[in-house]
């Protein structure tokens, strides 16, 4: 549906996009995820045609968008600020995009009603937009974009102004809406949890470059670099020394774990000459309680901090032989005690849960 080929964008001598390559499939829920200032909005605006690219190519439906103006592209954008007209009603706001449409007023009215129905705002059509909550304004902005029946909907941090509860509700509504209308969504967000929850695939961006493009599970379980791992979720790192490397199998000696054999997918691409480390998520380790079956891989450890969350407990533990603690999350079980600070414990891990970064 959308093909980005070596897209570069310069603002004067600032290099905002540095060779973006990606293909976004028709009907996909695709997210651009990255910290503030990494170029997400710039990339979205180049797809929409509000920003010209300095070099490279953007194709939509196989057609080069070179000099095609925004209104002739099969895209529509929902802006971060919503950009709703305060002096117009809900219905007038949604109908605004149809002002140059040649259909009869009755037909346009039906299209507006249909768009408002999609976002659950049918009963608010006569309402003044100033008398709406944040979530309702967001819905009006969505309806105004949908009424034009774009093939691609571009959403720039559409939920960032909403409170947590409203944001979560709108997340699931947006997922349902996308499935219902079946069009391609490209979402910009700096919120890693939002990207994981909503997307079919995610492009993680740093400083104008795509650091990894993958589905949420791959991104979380096999981040391509330390930087991606740290941006998406929590990652523990313990330093490791590479002993040998033969045919894709790497033997390492990692602090706290001892000798490990890592293969193929468990080994990241070589990133830098910095030392190697073994990374793992807090749920990759398991604290062993009395009566738990003895696993084949375990280490002794000491509890150094405990944070109780009701459903989960975070234990910071120092594995024997490690120089710093790591965080382990454990789902709580009724009737099982929570360990205290200073207590000795055993932790187990499964082979595939560790990644070697180097
Ligand atoms: P994001 O949406 O990821 O927060 P942006 O795409 O808005 O980031 O901006 C990326 C970088 O490009 C930032 O450093 C920003 O200051 C710069 N930038 C964005 N728009 C312009 C512009 N019109 N002129 C100059 N620099 C810009
Ligand atoms: Mg932005």
């Amino acid at each position: 549906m959308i093909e980005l080929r070596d897209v570069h964008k310069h603002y004067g001598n600032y290099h905002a996009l540095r060779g973006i390559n990606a293909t976004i499939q028709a009907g996909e829920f695709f997210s651009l995820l990255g910290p503030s200032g990494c170029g997400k909005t710039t990339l979205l605006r180049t797809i929409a045609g509000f920003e010209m690219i300095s070099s490279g190519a953007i194709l939509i439906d196989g057609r080069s968008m070179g000099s095609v103006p925004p209104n002739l592209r099969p895209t529509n954008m929902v802006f971060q600020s919503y950009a709703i007209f305060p002096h117009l009603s809900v219905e007038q706001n949604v109908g605004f995009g149809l002002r140059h449409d040649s259909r009869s007023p009755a037909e346009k009215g039906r299209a507006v009603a249909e768009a408002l129905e999609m976002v659950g705002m049918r009963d608010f059509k006569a309402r003044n937009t100033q008398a709406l909550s944040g979530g309702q304004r967001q819905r009006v902005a969505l309806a105004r974009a949908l009424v034009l029946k774009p093939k691609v909907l571009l959403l720039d941090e559409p939920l960032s102004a909403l409170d947590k509860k409203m944001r979560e509700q709108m997340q699931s509504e947006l997922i349902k809406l996308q499935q219902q209308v079946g069009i391609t969504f490209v979402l910009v967000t700096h919120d890693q949890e939002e990207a994981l929850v909503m997307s079919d695939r995610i492009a993680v961006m740093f400083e104008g470059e795509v650091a990894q493009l993958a589905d949420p599970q791959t991104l979380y379980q096999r981040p391509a670099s330390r930087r991606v791992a740290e941006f998406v979720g929590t990652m523990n790192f313990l330093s490791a020394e590479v002993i040998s490397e033969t045919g894709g199998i790497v033997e390492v000696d990692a602090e706290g774990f001892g000798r490990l054999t890592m293969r193929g997918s468990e080994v990241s691409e070589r990133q830098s000459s910095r030392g190697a480390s073994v990374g793992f998520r807090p749920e990759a380790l398991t604290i062993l309680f009395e009566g738990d079956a003895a696993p084949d891989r375990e280490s002794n450890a000491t509890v150094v901090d405990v944070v109780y969350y009701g459903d989960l407990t975070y234990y910071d533990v120092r594995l024997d032989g490690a120089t710093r603690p790591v965080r382990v999350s454990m789902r709580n079980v009724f009737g099982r005690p929570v360990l205290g600070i200073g207590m000795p414990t055993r932790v187990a891990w499964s082979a595939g849960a560790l990644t070697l970064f180097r």
Side-chain angles (χ1 to χ4, degrees):
M1 184 76 216
I2 304 175
E3 240 188 290
L4 306 171
R5 289 190 192 154
D6 200 24
V7 171
H8 286 264
K9 172 70 186 176
H10 294 268
Y11 290 115
N13 53 21
Y14 184 72
H15 200 173
L17 298 177
R18 307 176 183 202
I20 304 282
N21 287 290
T23 301
I24 300 170
Q25 308 297 334
E28 191 168 31
F29 201 129
F30 192 92
S31 293
L32 301 172
L33 170 68
S36 176
C38 72
K40 305 180 296 295
T41 295
T42 301
L43 184 56
L44 206 66
R45 289 174 62 85
T46 63
I47 296 171
F50 297 120
E51 221 53 88
M52 298 310 278
I53 58 179
S54 308
S55 67
I58 295 178
L59 285 80
I60 302 182
D61 254 352
R63 236 178 94 214
S64 172
M65 289 293 116
S67 54
V68 180
N71 60 319
L72 296 180
R73 297 190 182 194
T75 55
N76 208 345
M77 188 146 162
V78 177
F79 295 92
Q80 191 163 7
S81 58
Y82 308 165
I84 285 172
F85 304 116
H87 57 287
L88 300 181
S89 70
V90 165
E91 195 174 28
Q92 287 166 330
N93 260 282
V94 176
F96 186 78
L98 297 174
R99 67 198 181 285
H100 300 308
D101 198 301
S102 58
R103 281 180 286 174
S104 73
E107 281 175 307
K108 287 191 206 179
R110 270 197 295 280
V112 169
E114 195 189 326
L116 284 172
E117 177 76 45
M118 276 184 204
V119 299
M121 288 289 285
R122 200 188 50 186
D123 297 339
F124 293 83
K125 64 179 188 179
R127 183 77 73 89
N128 185 309
T129 50
Q130 276 161 314
L132 296 176
S133 69
Q136 290 168 331
R137 277 171 209 228
Q138 180 56 66
R139 282 170 223 242
V140 173
L142 269 174
R144 193 177 54 190
L146 288 167
V147 75
L148 294 164
K149 298 221 182 312
K151 288 185 177 164
V152 179
L153 192 62
L154 306 169
L155 303 130
D156 192 0
E157 311 236 12
L159 310 181
S160 61
L162 306 177
D163 63 47
K164 188 173 191 297
K165 206 159 177 197
M166 193 66 217
R167 197 159 65 230
E168 283 169 3
Q169 187 186 332
M170 285 300 289
Q171 283 172 3
S172 55
E173 284 187 26
L174 265 182
I175 297 169
K176 278 192 216 125
L177 184 67
Q178 196 259 347
Q179 288 164 350
Q180 180 193 334
V181 295
I183 62 181
T184 310
F185 276 32
V186 183
L187 173 86
V188 160
T189 181
H190 65 271
D191 180 337
Q192 47 98 14
E193 204 172 280
E194 183 162 295
L196 290 178
V197 167
M198 301 184 74
S199 320
D200 294 315
R201 285 190 311 150
I202 301 167
V204 179
M205 291 177 67
F206 296 123
E207 282 125 30
E209 288 180 296
V210 174
Q212 188 170 9
L213 200 173
D215 62 276
Q217 276 195 30
T218 305
L219 198 61
Y220 186 79
Q221 293 177 356
R222 295 290 176 214
S225 64
R226 285 187 184 89
R227 197 168 180 198
V228 172
E230 284 173 324
F231 191 72
V232 181
T234 302
M235 196 82 167
N236 293 295
F237 294 100
L238 287 175
S239 55
E241 199 187 327
V242 175
I243 308 288
S244 69
E245 186 168 357
T246 19
I249 293 181
V250 187
E251 291 282 341
V252 299
D253 190 2
E255 56 169 334
F257 292 110
R259 279 291 184 111
L260 299 168
T261 304
M262 319 276 300
R263 57 198 79 226
S265 64
E266 298 161 28
V267 180
S268 82
E269 300 272 311
R270 198 181 292 279
Q271 304 280 326
S272 67
S273 51
R274 262 205 299 162
S277 58
V278 164
F280 55 96
R281 301 295 187 186
E283 66 277 15
L285 296 194
T286 307
I287 303 238
L288 295 175
F289 288 85
E290 247 182 70
D292 286 348
D296 46 332
R297 291 157 183 276
E298 64 168 88
S299 287
N300 291 320
T302 309
V303 177
V304 298
D305 202 6
V306 180
V307 187
Y308 177 76
Y309 276 95
D311 57 341
L312 294 174
T313 301
Y314 285 140
Y315 291 103
D316 289 343
V317 301
R318 191 189 300 279
L319 303 177
D320 283 6
T323 54
R324 57 187 145 162
V326 293
R327 172 150 291 189
V328 178
S329 72
M330 287 292 291
R331 196 150 281 289
N332 290 325
V333 174
F334 276 95
R336 193 172 66 191
V338 171
L339 300 179
I341 294 172
M343 284 169 79
T345 184
R346 289 154 59 218
V347 295
W349 71 92
S350 60
L354 311 179
T355 302
L356 177 68
F357 294 95
R358 53 190 184 144

